[in-house]
Amino acid sequence: AELQAETTKSMWQTTLENVRNLGAMSHRERAVVIVCLPLNGLLGATVPDCTVPGNEKWCYATFVASICWIGGLAFLMVRGIETIGAQIGVPVFIMALTFLAAGTSVPDLLSSVVVAKQGKGDMAVSSSIGSNIFDVAVGLPLPWLIYTAYFDEPVTVGGQGVGISIAILLFMVLCVIFSVMASGWKMSRTLGAAMFGLYILYVGQEILRAALNKQFGC
């Protein structure tokens, strides 16, 4: 363990070594390094790597820098989704329900997979549920609170059809709970297929309702 800790390198050092060793890599490895190089280079140069022995004191700076990067990348992602949706004539909430939701859920997916492989399935499930509760209870009201405190006016939120969407969402939550109960509170392939089916069903009915309300079109 001590030898492994001594040989730990920062993300910036690892990125530089990968660039120097491009010629000795396979075509697949070289392609991965080149594709990830811009992001790895920026993050390695701007985010202190507190995992390196001796850099533990930079953990708070790492946390703040990571939050700043997440905020900036999230802003660009949302703007990009809005622009693409406007160009192809897809409503913003449909883009958010599909592409944006998938993009923001990838970190939850990866963390859940990691802890699930460690035999901590309960942590994987609670992490996914807790992140969504945090989004609704903090992620939405906190920006609105800052906006109202700064501009001294309420935030206008489009509420067309939101009541039906919330009712359907609550119904889907009940379906998820009953599906987990039916599987004996065990994560299985059957349960995974049922989850995929519920998601496709939910997205399908949202798209259908948007099409019936003639919300598509450039």
Side-chain angles (χ1 to χ4, degrees), residues 11-12 15-16 33 36-47 69:
M11 183 177 183
W12 177 250
T15 302
L16 292 179
V33 170
C36 298
L37 181 60
L39 185 59
N40 287 342
L42 287 173
L43 295 178
T46 57
V47 180
W69 269 110

Side-chain angles (χ1 to χ4, degrees), residues 81-96 98-99 207 210 215-218:
I81 288 295
E82 290 178 346
T83 302
I84 294 174
Q87 292 294 326
I88 63 178
V90 178
V92 174
F93 79 92
I94 293 295
M95 297 294 291
T98 53
F99 298 101
I207 295 176
Q215 295 178 348
F216 287 91
C218 300

Side-chain angles (χ1 to χ4, degrees), residues 99-117:
F99 298 101
L100 188 60
T104 56
S105 298
V106 168
D108 293 336
L109 170 64
L110 296 178
S111 62
S112 297
V113 169
V114 170
V115 297
K117 287 184 176 181

Side-chain angles (χ1 to χ4, degrees), residues 130-179:
S131 64
N132 288 280
I133 294 176
F134 182 87
D135 292 340
V136 175
V138 179
L140 287 178
L142 183 59
W144 294 344
L145 178 62
I146 297 174
Y147 180 91
T148 54
Y150 183 80
F151 293 102
D152 194 22
E153 62 181 23
V155 179
T156 302
V157 180
Q160 182 180 3
V162 68
I164 299 177
S165 296
I166 291 177
I168 295 175
L169 181 59
L170 292 176
F171 174 75
M172 297 299 294
V173 171
L174 292 176
C175 290
V176 170
I177 295 175
F178 288 135
S179 298

Side-chain angles (χ1 to χ4, degrees), residues 112 115-126 187:
S112 297
V115 297
K117 287 184 176 181
Q118 295 175 353
K120 303 175 182 178
D122 54 346
M123 182 182 294
V125 175
S126 60
M187 308 298 292

